[in-house]
Amino acid sequence: DIHGGGKDLVFPHHENEIAQSEAATGKPFARYWIHNGFVNIDNEKMSKSLGNFFTLRDVLARVKPEVLRFFFASSHYRSPIDYSDRSLAEAKAGLDRLYRVKGKAEACVAAGAVPSAVPTGEEFAPLRDARNRFDEAMDDDFNTAAALGRLFDAVRALNRLAPDDAVAEREKAGLFLSGYAILEPLFGVLGLLRMSAAEYFQQDAVVRPETGTM
């Protein structure tokens, strides 16, 4: 169904694969092609010849997997992406924000709040329509960057419903839970927010301090 590779492989490698395979089988070779942009290291193309490359094992020794996932999802797969300590720190900041929202939802559950309907005000439209907006972005050439943008729009609306005290503001906590229930499966599509907020914030989620810059 899906064939991927770097954008530099379109010709001649992938065109040759199509020609050879379809000539041999008489059937279409792949339904979808995903040609990714290059990974840059501090604005310079990563390559073996330049010696500025890392293995996945090297990267995961320094960066938590979910931060790395968020980092890659923040750019369209066909766009070049700059891998640097600064970029990873920005990715962690974004993921931290999402986990803080999950932490609020967990507090509402612990307080015994019962989900209720999301308010109908226009300011909550990005939240109510989050699923459709998310799907629209993902259907547009697997645009994870736009999809994340839609989720952050929804999170801004959701935070308007956040109670200061989930126990004392049980009704508001229920509204918050109903909004979070819309977003939770969408985070799951991107493989995000798979652990509890407490577990996430207990971890050192970016780069070990002693490593310095790349």
Side-chain angles (χ1 to χ4, degrees):
D1 282 341
I2 301 174
H3 195 307
K7 63 182 182 181
D8 55 332
L9 299 181
V10 175
F11 177 84
H13 302 287
H14 290 162
E15 290 196 10
N16 281 343
E17 284 189 85
I18 294 171
Q20 294 168 1
S21 298
E22 295 191 0
T25 66
K27 298 178 181 179
F29 180 56
R31 296 179 63 203
Y32 301 101
W33 290 85
I34 294 181
H35 292 103
N36 60 276
F38 296 129
V39 177
N40 298 325
I41 304 296
D42 290 324
N43 295 311
E44 185 174 41
K45 180 185 173 183
M46 182 173 72
S47 68
K48 290 182 179 179
S49 61
L50 294 175
N52 64 343
F53 71 96
F54 306 94
T55 66
L56 186 57
R57 182 176 287 113
D58 293 335
V59 172
L60 292 179
R62 308 180 63 224
V63 184
K64 295 299 181 182
E66 195 171 359
V67 172
L68 191 64
R69 178 183 289 270
F70 184 96
F71 166 69
F72 283 120
S74 297
S75 295
H76 192 281
Y77 74 88
R78 285 192 287 107
S79 301
I81 189 167
D82 188 51
Y83 182 90
S84 66
D85 281 350
R86 179 178 178 179
S87 297
L88 293 173
E90 290 173 352
K92 180 184 181 297
L95 190 59
D96 284 356
R97 182 180 173 192
L98 297 184
Y99 264 107
R100 281 193 289 271
V101 171
K102 182 169 187 177
K104 293 175 185 177
E106 290 169 345
C108 292
V109 171
V114 178
S116 55
V118 174
T120 58
E122 184 61 29
E123 66 270 31
F124 299 109
L127 177 58
R128 291 194 307 272
D129 300 336
R131 177 58 187 266
N132 289 337
R133 297 182 183 199
F134 179 90
D135 288 350
E136 182 183 58
M138 291 293 282
D139 287 345
D140 183 14
D141 194 18
F142 199 55
N143 196 339
T144 56
L148 270 176
R150 306 287 169 81
L151 289 179
F152 276 102
D153 288 342
V155 164
R156 280 190 287 272
L158 177 61
N159 278 330
R160 295 173 181 267
L161 300 173
D164 294 324
D165 185 330
V167 175
E169 301 174 89
R170 196 74 58 86
E171 183 177 349
K172 195 171 184 181
L175 294 174
F176 187 88
L177 278 182
S178 65
Y180 185 77
I182 296 172
L183 302 185
E184 187 173 34
L186 306 181
F187 294 135
V189 170
L190 298 176
L192 301 176
L193 307 194
R194 310 312 291 168
M195 64 182 76
S196 70
E199 183 182 2
Y200 172 79
F201 285 112
Q202 285 171 356
Q203 297 182 357
D204 173 18
V206 175
V207 183
R208 295 174 184 170
E210 66 271 17
T211 60
T213 57
M214 297 177 189

